[in-house]
Amino acid sequence: MLENKQCQMVILVTSDLHGHVFPHNYRNNREVSIGLAKLATMIHRERESYDYSILIDNGDLIQGTPLTYYYSRFMKEGIHPMVNILNHLNYDCAVIGNHEFNFGIEVLQAAIKDSNFPWLSANTIQYGMKNCAFGRPYVVKVFENGLRVAILGITTHYIPNWENPKHIAGLQFEDAFISTKKWVKFIQKYETYDLLIISYHGGFEREPSTGEETENMSGENQAYAICEEIAGIDVLLTGHQHRMIADTVNGVTIVQPGCNGQAIGKVVVTFEKVCGQWVISNKAAELVTIDETAEADREIIKMTKETERETQAWLDQPIGRIIGDMTIHDAFAVRLGAHPLIKFLNQVQMDASGARISATALFDNGSEGFNEEVTMRNIVSNYIYPNTLRVIRIKGYEMEAALEKCASYFMLDHTGDIVVNPSYLQPKPQHYNYDMWEGIEYELDIRRPVGDRVTKLMISGEPIEMEGEYEVVMNNYRASGGGDFHMFQNKPVIKEIQTDMTELIADYFLKRKVVYADNDKNWRVIWQGYTD
């Protein structure tokens, strides 16, 4: 029998699924082309077209929808629905993402225990131990034709900047670039393989095609440096930024498949047998988006049906009533001046913490606010993260610096009109990094240079003292310095409220039954042509 001298392998990657299974939007249950149920149909198609396949999830799997929230907070029995689906689809491995820790380490450990595949994160390490905390740094998959593929998993090391410290107690996160370089050398020295894949839950700090800086080079994302400075990598799978990328950097084939199950990242590798060894003859990356012919996989829908039914019933529970207008018609306008919804969210934070000053964000431009009748669906649609709260003590000048950071969200276009600074839109939207404050009075003048836009900053009718100390409540992400709010890092923590904000909001309604929409107009943004 003649030996086969050529074969093709397809590498399929999902990333940042964020708990999306069903092809609908939980805000209104309208059908959309997202979710793992439809992606599964695409995955089956792709697998059938090639000699061999590898299927990887690149992180941020078990958090992000009401389905995963309801399971993690109220069910906690049986296998996590996302893990159950990955088991069914025979995933080869998964990488730990930063949002895997959001519901606490016990939820993550249970998910890992129930997985039929290994979870990878070479740089997530237990204190005092050399081995990674949750499994293996890498795996080597061997195919029947002798082909050997090494897969190294890496996680963004910025997790301590965002996560609740209790959720990552006993863990340390080694620099992603340093860890990748170390483990690539280890694999090169001690393993035999024909293809080296790095699956990195992190993104690009530079534009892949030009090398131009796309962010502040903080170290959160290091994919470009990994491609340019670490020799021997064949394929780099990325995520975290929710971008759609299929390209090549320094000979490394790269892909990033968006978020929420929009697409699969696909890399086709052609091998040829040369002197008894498999040699890569070609690599090509592309994105496979859900097409109109793709139906949701019936078996996956069936597997998740009961959890989804309970989730939907929970979402439709009536919680309270609004008197007045707390709806959102224009998300951009909400960020230009005080709005009743933002005041309400700050009031909930202040009520739960006892703090006099509060800061929060409008996380998503799809938020619709609250209608007269409020359900859990309305709450989780407007407050989309499982944040807890923290009261920290800051100086007046640090408060001013935070507001200057917020003011950088805006810029003036060539006509003098106010628009969103492109740095908050690319490489991914960061509307959640613009905060609005309650308990103080302030103005931001966008006509002035960045860093000199706070023209009014007062409390109780008196100027904020720059060296004065103030206690402020904010979510745990921001209080840790998340979003490059470095002025909040390592500040004294006065109080921590470990209940999720969604639960705090629900409790606020349940206690009062009726909430009045109010707007004290304590802040505003000024730009050319502004009228009060």
Side-chain angles (χ1 to χ4, degrees):
M1 181 182 291
L2 292 175
E3 183 183 8
N4 193 343
K5 297 291 186 180
Q6 188 181 74
C7 70
Q8 274 195 325
M9 170 185 291
V10 63
I11 303 161
L12 302 173
V13 59
T14 52
S15 190
D16 300 272
L17 288 169
H18 287 290
H20 284 82
V21 178
F22 293 83
H24 57 230
N25 186 323
Y26 279 98
R27 287 191 175 101
N28 48 33
N29 279 336
R30 292 175 185 167
E31 186 168 346
V32 287
S33 293
I34 61 171
L36 191 50
K38 281 201 170 187
L39 279 191
T41 301
M42 314 296 290
I43 288 169
H44 292 316
R45 287 184 195 175
E46 293 295 334
R47 277 175 159 168
E48 292 170 358
S49 302
Y50 296 90
D51 302 317
Y52 303 100
S53 67
I54 289 177
L55 181 57
I56 301 171
D57 185 78
N58 190 54
D60 282 3
L61 173 73
I62 64 174
Q63 174 276 339
T65 58
L67 176 78
T68 52
Y69 183 93
Y70 181 80
Y71 169 84
S72 298
R73 284 289 180 251
F74 303 112
M75 292 186 71
K76 298 182 181 179
E77 295 180 358
I79 298 176
H80 191 289
M82 299 304 290
V83 169
N84 203 26
I85 294 170
L86 266 60
N87 285 343
H88 174 74
L89 292 173
N90 295 314
Y91 268 69
D92 291 291
C93 59
V95 174
I96 294 172
N98 52 292
H99 283 287
E100 256 66 75
F101 296 95
N102 284 175
F103 294 114
I105 202 165
E106 295 83 6
V107 172
L108 175 54
Q109 287 174 325
I112 293 170
K113 176 179 175 290
D114 291 333
S115 298
N116 296 339
F117 50 86
W119 288 71
L120 310 179
S121 184
N123 63 321
T124 302
I125 303 165
Q126 288 181 330
Y127 285 115
M129 296 181 65
K130 293 183 179 180
N131 295 325
C132 62
F134 297 111
R136 313 178 204 177
Y138 68 93
V139 292
V140 178
K141 182 167 183 177
V142 183
F143 293 86
E144 60 187 24
N145 66 347
L147 191 65
R148 298 174 65 90
V149 178
I151 308 165
L152 174 66
I154 298 289
T155 304
T156 175
H157 60 269
Y158 248 52
I159 290 173
N161 293 326
W162 312 312
E163 191 53 73
N164 184 331
K166 292 183 179 179
H167 292 174
I168 54 174
L171 301 181
Q172 58 185 6
F173 298 87
E174 187 176 57
D175 181 278
F177 176 86
I178 292 172
S179 191
T180 302
K181 189 172 185 178
K182 176 178 69 178
W183 281 102
V184 165
K185 287 183 178 180
F186 182 93
I187 294 168
Q188 289 170 336
K189 183 175 181 179
Y190 293 105
E191 298 287 355
T192 300
Y193 61 91
D194 305 293
L195 181 75
L196 177 56
I197 301 170
I198 309 298
S199 190
Y200 168 42
H201 189 80
F204 286 88
E205 73 280 28
R206 297 178 181 272
E207 188 61 38
S209 58
T210 65
E212 181 182 355
E213 290 185 11
T214 55
E215 53 181 64
N216 62 9
M217 309 301 284
S218 64
E220 176 184 347
N221 298 294
Q222 299 172 295
Y224 193 87
I226 288 171
C227 291
E228 286 286 339
E229 301 176 38
I230 301 176
I233 301 170
D234 298 307
V235 176
L236 178 63
L237 312 176
T238 63
H240 186 52
Q241 293 173 311
H242 300 184
R243 298 176 67 184
M244 302 278 274
I245 301 172
D247 209 333
T248 301
V249 174
N250 192 31
V252 180
T253 305
I254 61 171
V255 71
Q256 186 174 147
C259 64
N260 302 342
Q262 297 171 290
I264 311 164
K266 174 183 175 182
V267 178
V268 177
V269 184
T270 304
F271 295 90
E272 291 186 2
K273 215 49 166 316
V274 178
C275 299
Q277 298 292 322
W278 287 112
V279 176
I280 300 169
S281 61
N282 190 57
K283 298 179 295 175
E286 64 177 293
L287 298 169
V288 182
T289 56
I290 295 173
D291 63 43
E292 58 187 20
T293 67
E295 295 184 358
D297 185 288
R298 292 182 181 179
E299 187 63 27
I300 288 175
I301 296 295
K302 182 179 178 181
M303 290 166 54
T304 324
K305 186 177 180 179
E306 181 57 26
T307 306
E308 174 71 2
R309 185 193 66 77
E310 291 189 31
T311 301
Q312 291 288 352
W314 171 71
L315 286 171
D316 287 331
Q317 291 179 19
I319 299 295
R321 184 164 159 257
I322 298 286
I323 294 180
D325 187 2
M326 212 178 279
T327 58
I328 293 176
H329 306 287
D330 182 346
F332 186 70
V334 171
R335 300 185 179 99
L336 294 177
H339 187 278
L341 176 69
I342 303 304
K343 179 176 180 180
F344 168 73
L345 295 176
N346 276 317
Q347 281 179 325
V348 172
Q349 294 188 169
M350 294 159 81
D351 180 75
S353 66
R356 293 179 57 202
I357 305 172
S358 175
T360 192
L362 181 66
F363 297 118
D364 180 60
N365 278 356
S367 294
E368 298 175 350
F370 294 140
N371 293 314
E372 182 179 354
E373 298 297 330
V374 180
T375 64
M376 280 304 304
R377 189 183 304 279
N378 302 134
I379 292 173
V380 299
S381 295
N382 285 281
Y383 205 101
I384 59 177
Y385 297 115
N387 290 333
T388 56
L389 299 179
R390 202 175 297 170
V391 179
I392 60 173
R393 182 178 292 128
I394 61 174
K395 295 287 187 71
Y397 68 85
E398 292 164 333
M399 183 188 300
E400 183 180 58
L403 288 168
E404 289 289 359
K405 175 74 172 63
C406 292
S408 70
Y409 176 83
F410 300 107
M411 61 179 289
L412 301 180
D413 66 13
H414 67 282
T415 69
D417 200 10
I418 190 167
V419 295
V420 178
N421 187 331
S423 67
Y424 281 81
L425 301 174
Q426 299 293 335
K428 74 171 182 179
Q430 297 180 52
H431 303 298
Y432 51 82
N433 280 331
Y434 173 79
D435 291 335
M436 293 158 280
W437 292 56
E438 187 67 28
I440 58 173
E441 304 90 49
Y442 64 95
E443 291 180 355
L444 309 177
D445 189 342
I446 310 307
R447 298 169 298 187
R448 299 172 67 90
V450 171
D452 188 31
R453 290 176 165 180
V454 178
T455 55
K456 176 183 177 181
L457 182 53
M458 306 180 75
I459 185 168
S460 301
E462 298 293 331
I464 290 285
E465 297 179 14
M466 291 296 102
E467 291 295 334
E469 294 186 333
Y470 302 88
E471 294 180 4
V472 185
V473 60
M474 59 189 71
N475 67 61
N476 58 292
Y477 170 80
R478 184 69 78 239
S480 298
D484 295 325
F485 282 76
H486 304 298
M487 69 290 297
F488 296 149
Q489 287 181 324
N490 302 316
K491 294 303 167 190
V493 176
I494 308 305
K495 184 186 295 185
E496 290 193 67
I497 297 88
Q498 294 301 326
T499 306
D500 288 354
M501 260 297 284
T502 48
E503 294 180 43
L504 292 174
I505 295 168
D507 288 343
Y508 193 92
F509 276 111
L510 289 170
K511 288 177 183 176
R512 291 161 178 79
K513 305 300 182 184
V514 174
V515 171
Y516 291 84
D518 186 24
N519 187 357
D520 53 12
K521 297 186 178 181
N522 64 304
W523 65 273
R524 68 177 184 174
V525 175
I526 301 170
W527 71 99
Q528 187 175 349
Y530 176 86
T531 56
D532 195 350

